[in-house]
Amino acid sequence: MPAGFQAPNHLHRFLHMILIQLLPHRAKRAVSVVDEVSLYIFLPSFFRIAQEQCCAAAVGGRLCDSGVKMAKEQGACERPFFQGDPWETKISKVFLHSVLTVSPSPPPVQMCCDCCVLGLMMASRGSSCELPGLSLGTQCGFTAQTCCGKNTTGEIKPVAKGGEMGLRLQILLYLVKSSSSSCVSLLFSDSNCSQLCVGNGTCACHDGYQLRQDGVNCEDVNECLTGSHNCVIGQGCINTEGSFRCQRETSCGTGYELKDDNACQDIDECSLGTHNCGPDFLCTNTVGSFRCHPKERCSDGYIQDAIGSCIDINECVAYTTPCPHGQTCINTVGSYTCRRNTVTCGRGYHLTEDGTRCEDVDECRAGNVCGDHGCVNLMGSYRCECRIGFIFNSITRLCEDINECRHYPGRLCAHKCENTEGSYTCSCTTGFKLSHDGRNCEDVNECDANPCSQECANVYGSYQCYCRRGYQLSDIDGMTCEDIDECALPTGGHVCSYRCSNAPGSFYCTCPPTGYTIAHNGRTCQDIDECAAGTHNCSVSESCFNTQGGFRCLSFICPPNYRSRQDASVSLRCVKDCQHGNVGCSFDPTQLITHTALSLPTFREFSGPEDIVFLRTVAAANPAPPPGATDVFFKILAADDQFSFDVQKRSDQGMIMGVVQQVKPIIGPRDLVLEVAMDYVISGLVSRRNIVVIHVFISDFWF
């Protein structure tokens, strides 16, 4: 500082005030006695400290205003941890955890937001804005009372020892003391929730997580599978813990790498050492690639090749006129020389007699150079005038044949072109003939020569043989028609119902010699009803019953104590008619015996039970019959030795019905008698019984 420098009085007072505010308590007393010279010795340092303090205060004020704005607009400084009254959602789990963790003071935004939220809580509850029992510090206390609605300039208690952590702990304890929130209480007990508590012991999760079935723990949500991501087309979704990220699907290409922000960045192969430049080359990076430049340069007369080697330059070829007129250039290693010319005649010239100059040679007179073609002499050369179909070759200097088929493919001949000496000829493929113009081809009608054994159809360039119905074209020559044995085909067994006989170009079906006749379709065997036709030999006392392929003469007789009642031409009903005093007959529950006949074929492909007889009753079908109701039970009394029949109980239109089934295959011809009992039961006792006697006649055929 210059000698004799005197600071103004107002500057002296300003610096003295700054020192009082900035220095510790004991240092303040020293400032009061510091002399003016010493003050100006430290003047630059004090100015810098003052500037830093003023700047920090200004930045802190703006950040504090942002925290107050956040609290008033959002009503919370961080994510709500529990739900309840409006003020109970203001403190997050992150905040509550921070007050219990010794850590540096949070930024003014967080502190002012928390203090403003506290003031808003007190205002919503109608509590005092004085916040009794809390030592919030000057800035926090002022912020809390301002947000509570009280503008004050009164004294605010200083923050107790412990800094911001002590401030947050006081706020939390104050809230717990004045609140009954279960989630706040849970924070000081062993809460089971892994992330968030929403009141009454109920747990919740942060964004990107979902609650497990145990209601306590949280698990990550795979946004890529649920489709809740926002990745656009061309980006792939990659799930992360609690979130996801979008990654570009297409590669950046050679020489580029994909960054975390999905942008493509050039790879510096030279810095990474991934180039393939040799030891004699220097690597220079370019966008998307690199270049190799040789370290050493070749001297004059040489050029460097791709691998860095120096090779000689042929100046006689590289330069237009390296030597003066009348001199010849001769290349040497790394250079060239010029030599004076001597008189040398080129091709087509010869020296004159005096040997001083060259004159033209007339090749057309010297010999037959063009053969039978014309010859034209040129200066230093000649040219042949070739005939049509030939062309002059300037290298061999001869007339050569023109291959018209190769020079004009597809333009001279419709099908095939064959070159000849000085011309060409056209030909046609099989099935065509050459037309009158010698170039186009006409279709040949091969059917005029009758190549097929039956039918022939001409097609373009060929022909096709066809056969009549019942014949097929031979696989050997494709022209002969052979008879089709319809009976031997895989479906031949189903062409005729009984027997198939092959015929030239056709087939015919036959039926068994008796009992059947061929139907109108010529394939199916139809049963002859001898009873209806009157061709049976049954007596007057017998009933004729038609069967498949035959007939039976039946005569049914009722047992004692039963009288007959003819219901149909075949069926017979025997009604119980006990004699007076016959006690055994009276106690016999059998009331009715019915005789009936049934004709069945031999089932060719028996795959399961076949329903053959339906026994209808007048008893109502009830799943759970009431007391005193009538129920019917069915039972087979007599059948064949193989137990080929069964009876089932069903319901039909609300009535009980018995269904007799054939459960096993039976090969005919066979005559069987099947007895089925129908027991009517009331209150567990058989009230009456009906017996149905079924005479079954099984044919030896399936039709």
Side-chain angles (χ1 to χ4, degrees), residues 212-535:
R212 291 185 177 176
Q213 294 183 353
D214 58 8
V216 175
N217 296 309
C218 296
E219 62 182 1
D220 174 58
V221 176
N222 193 332
E223 295 84 357
C224 300
L225 295 181
T226 60
S228 58
H229 61 85
N230 59 355
C231 296
V232 299
I233 298 175
Q235 294 181 344
C237 178
I238 299 177
N239 185 57
T240 60
E241 185 69 23
S243 182
F244 65 94
R245 64 185 179 92
C246 301
Q247 180 171 311
R248 175 180 176 140
E249 292 181 344
T250 58
S251 63
C252 293
T254 305
Y256 295 90
E257 62 180 352
L258 187 65
K259 298 173 60 180
D260 293 337
D261 58 355
N262 287 331
C264 293
Q265 179 177 338
D266 172 59
I267 299 175
D268 190 348
E269 296 85 354
C270 300
S271 299
L272 298 176
T274 57
H275 60 85
N276 58 356
C277 297
D280 296 331
F281 290 82
L282 294 176
C283 176
T284 303
N285 185 61
T286 61
V287 178
S289 184
F290 62 92
R291 293 291 183 269
C292 298
H293 299 285
K295 296 180 179 179
E296 297 182 0
R297 298 293 181 179
C298 295
S299 58
D300 294 340
Y302 294 89
I303 189 172
Q304 205 159 28
D305 60 7
I307 62 174
S309 300
C310 294
I311 58 176
D312 175 56
I313 299 176
N314 191 342
E315 294 84 355
C316 299
V317 177
Y319 303 130
T320 305
T321 55
C323 295
H325 181 69
Q327 293 184 359
T328 302
C329 177
I330 301 175
N331 184 60
T332 60
V333 178
S335 183
Y336 66 97
T337 59
C338 296
R339 187 176 60 184
R340 187 177 183 83
N341 295 336
T342 58
V343 178
T344 302
C345 297
R347 185 176 180 179
Y349 294 89
H350 61 83
L351 282 174
T352 59
E353 294 182 358
D354 57 9
T356 58
R357 59 187 180 88
C358 298
E359 63 179 3
D360 174 56
V361 176
D362 190 351
E363 294 86 357
C364 296
R365 292 184 179 183
N368 190 14
V369 292
C370 293
D372 56 354
H373 300 277
C375 180
V376 177
N377 184 58
L378 300 175
M379 186 61 64
S381 181
Y382 67 95
R383 177 170 53 84
C384 296
E385 294 289 344
C386 303
R387 302 195 313 268
I388 297 176
F390 294 86
I391 188 172
F392 180 70
N393 189 329
S394 60
I395 298 176
T396 61
R397 314 197 65 77
L398 296 174
C399 289
E400 297 178 351
D401 174 55
I402 298 175
N403 191 337
E404 294 86 354
C405 300
R406 183 182 300 172
H407 284 8
Y408 312 102
R411 296 168 57 185
L412 301 177
C413 301
H415 283 188
K416 296 180 181 179
C417 178
E418 183 179 357
N419 185 60
T420 60
E421 185 73 18
S423 184
Y424 64 94
T425 57
C426 296
S427 60
C428 300
T429 57
T430 304
F432 295 90
K433 62 181 179 179
L434 200 62
S435 60
H436 298 292
D437 59 5
R439 298 176 60 183
N440 295 310
C441 295
E442 299 175 352
D443 175 55
V444 176
N445 190 352
E446 295 86 354
C447 295
D448 293 340
N450 297 322
C452 304
S453 62
Q454 288 188 1
E455 303 293 335
C456 177
N458 183 59
V459 295
Y460 188 71
S462 183
Y463 66 96
Q464 180 66 49
C465 294
Y466 296 95
C467 298
R468 303 184 187 97
R469 185 175 181 180
Y471 294 87
Q472 62 184 359
L473 204 61
S474 173
D475 295 333
I476 299 175
D477 56 9
M479 297 184 294
T480 305
C481 292
E482 301 173 348
D483 173 56
I484 299 175
D485 188 354
E486 293 84 356
C487 301
L489 294 175
T491 58
H494 301 283
V495 173
C496 300
S497 60
Y498 178 62
R499 184 171 296 166
C500 176
S501 300
N502 186 56
S506 183
F507 68 96
Y508 61 91
C509 300
T510 58
C511 294
T514 59
Y516 293 92
T517 183
I518 197 74
H520 294 292
N521 59 12
R523 299 184 180 186
T524 306
C525 291
Q526 186 175 353
D527 174 59
I528 298 175
D529 191 349
E530 294 86 355
C531 299
T535 58

Side-chain angles (χ1 to χ4, degrees), residues 127-188:
S127 302
S128 173
C129 295
E130 296 296 336
L131 305 175
L134 287 179
S135 298
L136 302 180
T138 303
Q139 187 174 20
C140 182
F142 180 80
T143 302
Q145 292 183 358
T146 301
C147 293
C148 182
K150 178 180 180 182
N151 294 324
T152 178
T153 57
E155 182 180 356
I156 304 297
K157 294 181 180 181
V159 178
K161 184 177 182 180
E164 187 63 27
M165 189 276 290
L167 169 63
R168 289 192 167 191
L169 184 58
Q170 291 184 63
I171 295 175
L172 176 61
L173 294 176
Y174 186 80
L175 293 176
V176 174
K177 181 179 179 181
S178 59
S179 172
S180 60
S181 173
S182 60
C183 288
V184 174
S185 301
L186 285 173
L187 291 172
F188 295 93

Side-chain angles (χ1 to χ4, degrees), residues 53-72:
Q53 291 293 324
C54 292
C55 181
V59 173
R62 287 196 296 269
L63 294 178
C64 188
D65 293 340
S66 299
V68 172
K69 182 179 179 181
M70 182 189 305
K72 290 182 178 181

